[in-house]
């Protein structure tokens, strides 16, 4: 996991400067549209691992947190959308307490790290179905004194 260290003296002083700095730090995040009010971007590790996001800059930004919305599509099911939005909006809330123009960088860093380190993003929906199946069979099996488990083994 990579973390970017920035001193307070080098932080951007406007939304446009913040976006420009984030783009230089994360060139793999493709900005589709950027205005003083919102930004639409995508991050793609592979053709099957693509996240599209909209960042909305509210009045009073950066002392008010930006709002992160993840687009739901065939690659991003509802469960993953909710998980990412909760985590990324929570991060923006924490960063807003510092009233600094670094929320875009922090959100992109967390998102790219999540996608790059979670090899199950392309099969999130199928994996969730497997977990649900094991859990539902455990509910039935527990009544009979049995237990089911599921293991995922990564090989190289």
């Amino acid at each position: 996991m990579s973390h970017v260290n920035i001193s307070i003296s080098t932080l951007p002083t406007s939304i446009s400067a913040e976006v420009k700095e984030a783009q230089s730090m994360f060139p793999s995040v493709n900005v589709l549209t950027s205005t003083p009010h919102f930004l639409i971007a995508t991050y793609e590790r592979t053709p099957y691992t693509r996240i599209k996001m909209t960042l909305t800059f509210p009045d009073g930004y950066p002392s008010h947190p930006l709002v992160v919305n993840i687009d739901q599509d065939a690659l991003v099911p509802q469960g993953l959308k909710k998980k990412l939005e909760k985590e990324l909006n929570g991060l923006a809330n924490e960063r807003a307490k510092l009233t600094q123009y670094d929320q875009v960088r922090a959100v992109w860093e967390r998102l790219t790290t999540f996608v790059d380190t979670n090899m199950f993003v392309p099969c999130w929906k199928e994996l969730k179905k497997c977990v649900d199946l094991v859990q539902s069979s455990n509910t039935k099996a527990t009544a009979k004194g049995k237990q089911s488990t599921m293991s995922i083994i990564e090989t190289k």
Side-chain angles (χ1 to χ4, degrees), residues 37-64:
H37 304 288
F38 70 92
L39 178 146
I40 300 172
T42 61
Y43 178 66
E44 183 175 307
R45 185 183 74 217
T46 71
Y48 300 102
T49 310
R50 180 188 68 247
I51 307 285
K52 184 177 180 183
M53 70 197 103
T54 301
L55 307 180
T56 304
F57 302 99
D59 290 338
Y61 180 83
S63 59
H64 293 88

Side-chain angles (χ1 to χ4, degrees), residues 28-32 40-55 68-77 80-85 88 107-108 110-116 118 120-122 124:
S28 56
V29 175
N30 182 25
V31 175
L32 305 173
I40 300 172
T42 61
Y43 178 66
E44 183 175 307
R45 185 183 74 217
T46 71
Y48 300 102
T49 310
R50 180 188 68 247
I51 307 285
K52 184 177 180 183
M53 70 197 103
T54 301
L55 307 180
V68 182
N69 290 303
I70 303 295
D71 285 8
Q72 182 180 345
D73 61 15
L75 300 178
V76 181
L80 179 56
K81 171 185 166 50
K82 285 182 181 180
K83 174 185 174 38
L84 286 172
E85 286 179 346
L88 297 174
V107 165
W108 286 3
R110 181 77 54 91
L111 178 72
T112 58
T113 300
F114 174 84
V115 171
D116 290 346
N118 187 338
F120 294 110
V121 170
W124 182 271

